[in-house]
Amino acid sequence: MIRLSKLITEAVTPKFESIKLKYKFKDYAPAFDEETMKTHYGKHYQGYIDKLNEAVKEENIPVVMGERMSGIKTILNSVSQYSMKLRNNAGGFYNHTLFFNGLNPEMKGKLAEGEVEDAIKEQYGSIDKFKSVFKEKALGHFGSGWCWLLHHNGQFNIVTTDNQDNPLMDVVYAPGDILIALDLWEHSYYLKYKNDRAKYIDAFFKLLCWSMTNERYMVDQY
């Protein structure tokens, strides 16, 4: 006999879902090729989401959805108490959501004349200098992982994390609000750029949505 309480729990447990892209996969070319985008979004990203929902159910984790992805953030903030399955896939879901949401093939990497750009220029001297420092940090990361631009106490910081870890996790000490997320896993660039991570990073900046970066910065500010 199936208990009523179990049916009720399963019926109301919210599930994490992928963000909806505003553009077609082919629109990200030539920076990101259509096949890579299709596989990255439809296979890798979706795979993390499916396994995350499995882990949430298996470990009976309470999820309360809210604004600004508060549901997944709550899990990430205390991820050390859960399994590696949950940690890897919660990170995979959140990281990829930020990554895809931060791309805009229509803007083609053009600056948005926002406050974040002025603040970056003040700290790094110029946007080009910032890109150079960010690229160097990303190239210096060994193996799979992520490169992040963080903002904390009025300062920017560029850090990397392994695998699907991110700065929100209580197992990672990198304080700050995430403004830019760059996927360093080979599945995000190998079909087009092979092992040339440098070219991939340059291509990333041709798709980076500075309006979204500024929006994240402004939320942090006010």
Side-chain angles (χ1 to χ4, degrees):
M1 178 181 294
I2 300 177
R3 294 182 179 178
L4 179 59
S5 59
K6 182 177 181 180
L7 287 174
I8 294 175
T9 300
E10 292 181 350
V12 300
T13 300
K15 289 189 175 182
F16 295 101
E17 298 179 348
S18 61
I19 59 165
K20 307 303 180 184
L21 298 182
K22 298 179 181 179
Y23 306 92
K24 297 179 180 179
F25 297 130
K26 64 180 182 180
D27 294 336
Y28 295 83
F32 290 177
D33 62 287
E34 181 178 358
E35 187 61 28
T36 294
M37 281 296 300
K38 182 178 180 180
T39 303
H40 197 179
Y41 178 86
K43 300 295 184 180
H44 293 282
Y45 180 34
Q46 189 60 51
Y48 288 119
I49 296 171
D50 293 341
K51 292 179 182 177
L52 167 60
N53 287 322
E54 285 180 8
V56 167
K57 182 178 179 181
E58 292 168 356
E59 300 177 40
N60 196 27
I61 300 171
V63 178
V64 179
M65 300 295 188
E67 296 182 354
R68 298 182 60 198
M69 299 184 71
S70 61
I72 189 63
K73 286 180 178 179
T74 299
I75 291 176
L76 294 173
N77 290 160
S78 57
V79 77
S80 61
Q81 65 182 290
Y82 303 121
S83 68
M84 285 303 298
K85 177 178 180 179
L86 188 284
R87 172 175 167 177
N88 289 334
N89 291 290
F93 162 65
Y94 184 74
N95 299 352
H96 282 88
T97 298
L98 294 186
F99 175 75
F100 286 119
N101 206 29
L103 303 178
N104 188 320
E106 188 175 7
M107 292 183 66
K108 301 184 184 302
K110 293 180 181 178
L111 299 180
E113 299 183 358
E115 291 188 22
V116 68
E117 295 155 15
D118 293 335
I120 287 176
K121 291 176 183 176
E122 182 176 348
Q123 180 169 330
Y124 291 95
S126 69
I127 295 296
D128 286 340
K129 178 59 178 178
F130 157 71
K131 289 179 179 179
S132 177
V133 175
F134 188 93
K135 181 178 180 180
E136 182 179 2
K137 189 74 173 183
L139 288 174
H141 182 81
F142 180 79
S144 301
W146 290 77
C147 189
W148 313 92
L149 174 64
L150 307 178
H151 186 255
H152 182 64
N153 290 340
Q155 290 290 309
F156 296 103
N157 191 23
I158 301 169
V159 303
T160 63
T161 54
D162 295 326
N163 301 317
Q164 293 297 347
D165 286 353
N166 63 54
L168 271 66
M169 293 181 173
D170 62 352
V171 293
V172 176
Y173 183 73
D177 292 283
I178 299 171
L179 304 185
I180 295 176
L182 171 63
D183 193 344
L184 298 179
W185 284 66
E186 288 187 343
H187 65 237
S188 62
Y189 62 89
Y190 206 83
L191 286 178
K192 182 175 178 66
Y193 296 106
K194 300 299 186 285
N195 63 331
D196 197 338
R197 183 182 282 181
K199 285 186 178 180
Y200 161 67
I201 298 169
D202 291 338
F204 169 75
F205 278 114
K206 294 179 181 179
L207 290 174
L208 178 64
C209 181
W210 282 100
S211 293
M212 175 58 69
T213 304
N214 189 67
E215 182 179 322
R216 293 169 180 168
Y217 175 77
M218 298 302 291
V219 170
D220 171 32
Q221 291 300 293
Y222 297 103

